[in-house]
Amino acid sequence: MEHSTAPSSAPSPIAELVARARAAQRICATWSQAQADTAVAAAGWAIIEPARNRALAELAVADTGMGCVQDKVLKNHRKTFGLLRDLHGARSVGVIGQDPARGIVEIARPVGVVCAITPSTNPGATPANKIINALKGRNAVVVAPSPKGWSTAARLIGFIHAQFDRIGAPRDLVQLLPEPIDKQATGELMRLCDLVVATGSQANVRAAYASGTPAFGVGAGNVAGIVDETADVHAAAERIVRSKTFDNATSCSSENSLVIVDAVRAPMLAALAERGAVMLTAAQKATLQALMWPGGKLSAAVIGQSARSIAERAAALDDAQRAGWLALAATGPRILMVAEDGAGHGHPFSGEKLSPVLAIHGAQNFAAAAAMVERIYAHEGAGHSVGLHSALPERALTLGLTLPVARVIVDQAHSIATGGSFDNGLPFSLSMGCGTWGKNSFSDNLNYRHYLNITRVSRPIPEQMPSADEIFGDFFARHGAQ
């Protein structure tokens, strides 16, 4: 008697996509350093070329409704060009390090197929950054964008494919998760890839860590800055306003709270006001809170919007203060400031706002300011970074030794500096690890080395065994040898 067997189920579209990526990655795994660097340059030029850059920026703002075109043009250029600077001349193929004294040779190997989770706040710059880093390590990459950012990512990858055609690289090295983007498809992609790099919502980061695939995920933003009594308030105000208004504060590195030492509170607020920051009244603060957190969750109605647009929306919500809000909007405010005296769930302005709204906290002295930042980060933002405006260099070290932060940004425009800048030494990145404080597996700016496996060849060296006295001598001298 013959027994029929049920046909095996066909692979899913996601599995087919990953299979194509694996086939392409097997090709680029044989590339030389020069070939890998050519692919990196091709992907970089795909977004940096001015006409393409502007097209991506305009599409990003049109589709997400967040940010502003000119700032996205600048972000796409600076972040990509800075990354290319970091990668220029860096070894990522074959032998990348030798230590004869230790008998160690380091060899760079690809990780395979990378799943790149990217946010709607940076739908062009973040995918480009991850794609370029992945290519530097001879990996394939599949981008899983937010639904709002899909069309921008699709346009970017189309530009990259056109450049790949010029250099003879397989298009399947860089692919896009097809629409519709949902948790099920993204989850399947994460499980099938070799590495997940997740930037965006904490829900996406937690899903990445739970996928069973090795993952780098970033922590929550909610940056606080400190202005101490020694700061140049005009220089500090210029940096803070430049940082907070950039791309309508869509960056996780934008200041959300400013802790000002009492001795300079009045001149600091005056300096901010000179640059377009407006302090709201208590009644206006209450209206703004209702607009921003209906039902306790940050509203998309304010994310990535200008201060003027937010004021206009507040006017529509508050008949009693409508005229005042409209008058405020007409002045073209750059930042809306609110006075805040606490942190935690009862103080929503102490959390991340993703908009040009800035909470102002007071502190009697520097120690109290640092303690206030610690309270804010106990609520949200632990591990990310802190800004400091001060004439005392030792205070940066104090913050680095005591606060739960991976970065202390001193006398800089925070949102521009944290992810690397041409005037600081941090790696260019749009994905900031927040260490165990932020429930992350790393505390660096995500960079090309995170996209590599490193094989180490170990050869014998002359034995270097210390004596017992070298190891225990100091301990025995102080505590005895019992």
Side-chain angles (χ1 to χ4, degrees):
M1 181 177 179
E2 293 184 0
H3 295 276
S4 62
T5 57
S8 60
S9 59
S12 71
I14 307 302
E16 291 178 346
L17 181 150
V18 174
R20 294 199 306 272
R22 292 201 181 283
Q25 196 277 321
R26 284 192 290 271
I27 294 171
C28 76
T30 67
W31 282 354
S32 66
Q33 184 70 69
Q35 288 173 301
D37 289 345
T38 297
V40 163
W45 183 238
I47 185 173
I48 278 185
E49 190 278 322
R52 290 191 289 266
N53 182 351
R54 179 160 291 277
L56 290 168
E58 291 174 349
L59 184 60
V61 173
D63 284 357
T64 68
M66 292 184 285
C68 59
V69 170
Q70 191 53 44
D71 284 351
K72 289 196 183 296
V73 168
L74 183 59
K75 183 184 297 183
N76 290 346
H77 179 87
R78 283 181 60 87
K79 290 297 185 182
T80 305
F81 195 69
L83 174 61
L84 295 173
R85 181 208 66 177
D86 289 349
L87 299 188
H88 187 71
R91 297 292 304 174
S92 61
V93 176
V95 174
I96 61 171
Q98 299 186 62
D99 187 341
R102 295 171 59 229
I104 298 293
V105 175
E106 291 186 336
I107 301 171
R109 308 282 298 280
V111 299
V113 178
V114 177
C115 168
I117 311 292
T118 62
S120 57
T121 49
N122 290 308
T126 300
N129 187 278
K130 293 184 177 185
I131 289 166
I132 290 168
N133 276 317
L135 292 171
K136 181 71 174 180
R138 297 176 297 166
N139 303 295
V141 59
V142 182
V143 177
S146 69
K148 287 184 178 180
W150 188 90
S151 60
T152 303
R155 182 78 63 87
L156 168 67
I157 291 172
F159 291 155
I160 290 173
H161 286 168
Q163 296 301 308
F164 277 6
D165 292 345
R166 296 177 62 199
I167 65 172
R171 286 189 169 200
D172 285 344
L173 274 178
V174 179
Q175 297 183 70
L176 181 68
L177 190 67
E179 289 187 297
I181 302 295
D182 56 32
K183 291 180 181 179
Q184 181 177 351
T186 303
E188 182 181 359
L189 179 64
M190 289 192 289
R191 290 189 295 273
L192 291 174
C193 288
D194 300 301
L195 176 69
V196 180
V197 285
T199 306
S201 73
Q202 289 304 288
N204 281 341
V205 171
R206 287 191 294 270
Y209 281 130
S211 67
T213 300
F216 291 112
V218 302
N222 189 33
V223 167
I226 294 174
V227 181
D228 78 6
E229 73 280 6
T230 71
D232 179 334
V233 295
H234 290 284
E238 187 278 327
R239 298 179 195 119
I240 291 163
V241 171
R242 179 155 47 97
S243 169
K244 185 61 177 170
T245 57
F246 187 77
D247 203 23
N248 289 344
T250 54
S251 170
C252 65
S253 297
S254 294
E255 294 90 341
N256 281 273
S257 295
L258 197 61
V259 185
I260 307 173
V261 171
D262 290 344
V264 291
R265 181 183 177 92
M268 184 65 203
L269 291 179
L272 289 168
E274 289 172 5
R275 292 159 177 82
V278 178
M279 180 66 77
L280 301 184
T281 66
Q284 288 172 326
K285 177 184 176 183
T287 300
L288 184 59
Q289 180 173 322
L291 173 68
M292 295 183 69
W293 290 280
K297 183 179 179 181
L298 184 63
S299 171
V302 299
I303 294 175
Q305 305 304 307
S306 68
R308 179 172 187 161
S309 176
I310 293 171
E312 291 170 345
R313 294 181 186 195
L317 191 68
D318 187 350
D319 288 339
Q321 300 180 75
R322 178 179 174 82
W325 278 112
L326 291 176
L328 171 58
T331 67
R334 302 187 69 195
I335 296 173
L336 303 178
M337 299 187 296
V338 297
E340 188 54 87
D341 59 4
H345 293 292
H347 301 270
F349 285 102
S350 67
E352 188 172 32
K353 294 171 277 294
L354 292 172
S355 57
V357 175
L358 183 63
I360 303 296
H361 299 257
Q364 184 176 7
N365 51 40
F366 174 73
M372 186 68 242
V373 172
E374 192 162 19
R375 288 176 61 194
I376 292 169
Y377 289 168
H379 168 53
E380 187 178 12
H384 198 290
S385 51
V386 64
L388 174 65
H389 303 270
S390 173
L392 301 176
E394 64 272 17
R395 287 189 167 173
L397 187 60
T398 297
L399 297 180
L401 288 168
T402 58
L403 287 183
V405 293
R407 299 156 202 85
V408 180
I409 306 299
V410 181
D411 291 336
Q412 296 171 75
H414 201 286
S415 68
I416 297 167
T418 312
S421 186
F422 292 105
D423 58 359
N424 73 30
L426 293 172
F428 275 86
S429 180
L430 288 107
S431 304
M432 267 55 77
C434 297
T436 56
W437 301 297
K439 302 188 183 303
N440 295 164
S441 58
F442 73 118
S443 56
D444 302 327
N445 287 13
L446 194 72
N447 62 78
Y448 79 99
R449 290 188 68 91
H450 295 101
Y451 294 75
L452 296 174
N453 284 319
I454 307 293
T455 297
R456 290 168 179 84
V457 177
S458 175
R459 294 186 171 88
I461 59 175
E463 188 173 79
Q464 299 175 358
M465 182 181 294
S467 68
D469 186 64
E470 288 177 281
I471 301 300
F472 294 110
D474 181 65
F475 175 74
F476 288 163
R478 288 183 288 116
H479 303 289
Q482 293 93 339

